[in-house]
């Protein structure tokens, strides 16, 4: 860790040192937004769920344009717009008493989600290069989980449906934490645009569109892999996993809540160790190992459904989240690093936007599929589909390996760069 920190450029240190603070605000509100809309503002559950969906749908719709804008105007400019939108959305939601006001607020928050991934990853790639990228993305993931986890604990202790002002406070808190990255972008990082200057040859060349990028076999396989990994992974966190744990394994809500805490703890505790083990190894092989770990996790959860309501079911649910988290520590450093090693400085925003769109698509489709299966009592079928999804991820990773270069696959490095893509 000392060697990594010493090798980071000053801009990378600024970005990394504030991640947990930035995401703490998200943790304050993430578990409680639906509760706030339904129990505090009095919207029925159907309306509240529809309003919540606006975040994901808006994020998905703006991802493509945001990637192109990132390449044209720079990651810093796009991030500033996204952060201002998020701050405004949270402040509006804190005082929203009508569905219309809540809808506008959630659209603003969704706008930030849609632009922040491609722009933030492009900004990271502009200041952190070579093998450091993979380590950076892994540590960033651990710190994001730490911030959200701590925020969730604080929000759980503070928020009280009998005191509506406590919910107003947590949304204001989320808005305030958004001022931290805004300060960085307007202050210490104001010189980092995240936009590469075009050479004379590039100026004369037509801009590369999304269809042209998707014609590359490497990009197609990586995008498909990201979608499936999200569909059977993060797309199940808020719906499929809790639904199966309650309906099939018949565990308590306290157990479900504890499992999420275990998930966060495993990521924070193991990410550094995992990074040291996977550095220099083929990222495609790392993804295959991740798929095997996730398959074991889903099989373990399935055991809970076979013997519901007892200690075995409880252990299966808690064990699922622990094993699943281990797989997450393998996935999160590899896909973003591969994406940015595939891209050029001029196309980084669009490459990251494709990955973000695949992630958001999987996050939207995952809960829908889980809801349909679990509603019909098809718990065993649900587990089988999740395991088969893991097999598909492993197969796609192996196919991806046929096309991806050694540099993008993490086993050969390019000459060191500094700043925004300039040779050292």
């Amino acid at each position: 860790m000392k060697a990594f920190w010493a090798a980071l450029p000053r801009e990378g240190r600024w970005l990394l040192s504030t991640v947990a603070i930035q995401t703490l605000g998200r943790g304050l509100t993430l578990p409680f937004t639906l509760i706030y809309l339904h129990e505090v503002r009095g919207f029925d559950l159907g309306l509240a769920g529809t309003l919540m969906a606006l975040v994901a749908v808006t994020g998905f719709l703006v991802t493509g344009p945001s990637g192109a804008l990132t390449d044209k105007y720079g990651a810093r400019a796009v991030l500033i717009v996204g952060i201002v939108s998020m701050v405004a959305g949270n402040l509006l939601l804190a005082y929203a008493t009508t569905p219309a006001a809540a809808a506008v607020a959630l659209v603003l928050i969704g706008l930030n989600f849609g632009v922040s991934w491609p722009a933030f990853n492009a900004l990271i790639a502009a200041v952190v290069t070579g093998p450091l990228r993979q380590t950076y993305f892994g540590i960033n993931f651990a710190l994001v989980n730490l911030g959200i986890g701590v925020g969730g604990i604080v929000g759980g202790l503070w928020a009280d449906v009998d005191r509506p002002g406590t919910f107003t406070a947590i949304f204001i808190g989320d808005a305030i934490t958004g001022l931290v990255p805004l300060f960085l972008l307007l202050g210490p990082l104001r010189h980092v645009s995240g936009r590469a200057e075009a050479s004379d040859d590039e100026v004369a060349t037509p801009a590369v569109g999304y269809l042209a990028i998707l014609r590359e076999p490497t990009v197609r396989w990586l995008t498909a892999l990201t979608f499936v990994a999200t569909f059977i992974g993060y797309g199940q966190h808020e719906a499929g996993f809790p639904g199966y744990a309650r309906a099939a394994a018949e565990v308590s809500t306290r157990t479900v809540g504890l499992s999420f805490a275990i998930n966060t703890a495993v990521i924070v505790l193991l990410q550094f160790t995992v990074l040291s083990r996977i550095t220099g190894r083929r990222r495609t092989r790392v993804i295959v190992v991740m798929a095997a770990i996730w398959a074991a996790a889903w099989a373990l959860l399935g055991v809970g459904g076979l013997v519901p309501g007892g200690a075995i079911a409880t252990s299966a649910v808690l064990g699922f989240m622990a094993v699943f988290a281990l797989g997450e520590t393998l996935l999160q450093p590899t896909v973003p690093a591969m994406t940015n090693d595939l891209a050029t400085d001029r196309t980084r925003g669009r490459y990251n936007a494709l990955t973000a769109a695949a992630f958001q698509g999987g996050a939207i489709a995952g809960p829908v599929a889980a809801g349909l299966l679990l509603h019909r009592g098809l718990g065993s079928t649900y587990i089988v589909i999740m395991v088969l999804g893991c097999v598909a991820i492993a197969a796609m990773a192996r196919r991806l390996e046929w096309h991806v270069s050694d540099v993008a696959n993490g086993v050969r490095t390019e000459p060191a760069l500094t700043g925004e893509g300039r040779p050292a």
Side-chain angles (χ1 to χ4, degrees), residues 154-165:
V154 173
L157 294 174
W158 177 255
D160 183 351
V161 294
D162 294 323
R163 294 186 296 145

Side-chain angles (χ1 to χ4, degrees), residues 15 62-71 73-83 111-127 137 185 192-195 210 340 347-354 356 360:
L15 285 171
V62 304
T63 296
S66 71
L69 290 172
T70 296
D71 288 330
Y73 297 106
R76 175 179 170 273
V78 173
L79 272 174
I80 289 174
V81 172
I83 293 168
L111 176 66
N112 175 61
F113 285 166
V115 306
S116 62
W117 185 336
F120 187 68
N121 280 3
L123 189 70
I124 290 172
V127 299
F137 282 119
L185 295 172
V192 181
S193 70
R195 176 179 179 270
Y210 283 109
N340 283 281
T347 60
R348 204 172 305 284
R350 278 159 285 185
Y351 272 74
N352 281 291
L354 285 171
Q360 290 164 347

Side-chain angles (χ1 to χ4, degrees), residues 84-420:
V84 170
S85 174
M86 183 272 290
V87 171
N90 275 293
L91 291 176
L92 177 58
L93 192 58
Y95 297 98
T97 57
T98 66
V104 173
L106 291 166
V107 166
L108 289 171
I109 293 171
L111 176 66
N112 175 61
F113 285 166
V115 306
S116 62
W117 185 336
F120 187 68
N121 280 3
L123 189 70
I124 290 172
V127 299
V128 182
T129 59
L132 286 178
R133 276 184 189 157
Q134 178 168 289
T135 304
Y136 187 101
F137 282 119
I139 295 175
N140 182 78
F141 176 64
L143 292 175
V144 165
N145 276 271
L146 177 63
I148 291 177
V150 172
I153 293 172
V154 173
L157 294 174
W158 177 255
D160 183 351
V161 294
D162 294 323
R163 294 186 296 145
T166 59
F167 282 85
T168 299
I170 62 173
F171 284 105
I172 292 175
D174 194 358
I176 290 174
T177 59
L179 299 178
V180 175
L182 192 61
F183 164 77
L184 289 180
L185 295 172
L186 296 176
L189 301 181
R190 62 185 179 276
H191 63 287
V192 181
S193 70
R195 176 179 179 270
E197 296 299 328
S199 64
D200 292 339
D201 291 338
E202 288 174 323
V203 170
T205 303
V208 178
Y210 283 109
L211 289 179
I213 295 173
L214 282 170
R215 290 192 186 101
E216 301 174 24
T218 306
V219 175
R220 289 201 303 270
W221 283 109
L222 183 60
T223 302
L225 185 154
T226 302
F227 174 83
V228 176
T230 306
F231 178 87
I232 69 164
Y234 300 105
Q236 306 305 322
H237 265 207
E238 293 185 15
F241 163 69
Y244 184 89
R246 291 287 292 148
E250 298 179 7
V251 301
S252 67
T253 54
R254 179 175 296 181
T255 298
V256 175
L258 179 59
S259 70
F260 279 94
I262 289 173
N263 179 268
T264 298
V266 170
I267 291 170
V268 172
L269 292 174
L270 293 187
Q271 186 68 82
F272 297 97
T273 301
V274 168
L275 284 169
S276 67
R277 297 289 190 272
I278 67 175
T279 298
R281 300 184 184 275
R282 291 188 182 275
R283 291 164 180 161
T284 48
R285 306 286 175 87
V286 172
I287 293 172
V288 170
V289 174
M290 180 278 296
I293 291 172
W294 274 12
W298 283 112
L300 179 60
L301 183 62
V303 172
L306 296 176
V307 285
I312 294 178
T314 298
S315 299
V317 169
L318 298 178
F320 165 80
M321 272 302 211
V323 177
F324 188 88
L326 176 60
E328 290 180 80
T329 64
L330 295 170
L331 178 67
Q332 288 299 328
T334 52
V335 170
M338 187 181 294
T339 299
N340 283 281
D341 285 346
L342 287 170
T344 67
D345 290 339
R346 297 281 294 166
T347 60
R348 204 172 305 284
R350 278 159 285 185
Y351 272 74
N352 281 291
L354 285 171
T355 303
F359 183 97
Q360 290 164 347
I364 293 171
V368 174
L372 292 173
L373 290 168
L374 296 176
H375 177 69
R376 289 168 171 76
L378 301 175
S380 297
T381 303
Y382 171 73
I383 294 295
V384 170
I385 290 174
M386 295 300 108
V387 173
L388 290 177
C390 295
V391 174
I393 291 172
M396 286 188 285
R398 294 293 292 171
R399 189 62 183 267
L400 174 62
E401 190 171 307
W402 297 359
H403 302 284
V404 70
S405 67
D406 286 344
V407 170
N409 212 6
V411 292
R412 186 168 62 85
T413 60
E414 294 176 318
L417 302 174
T418 60
E420 299 186 26

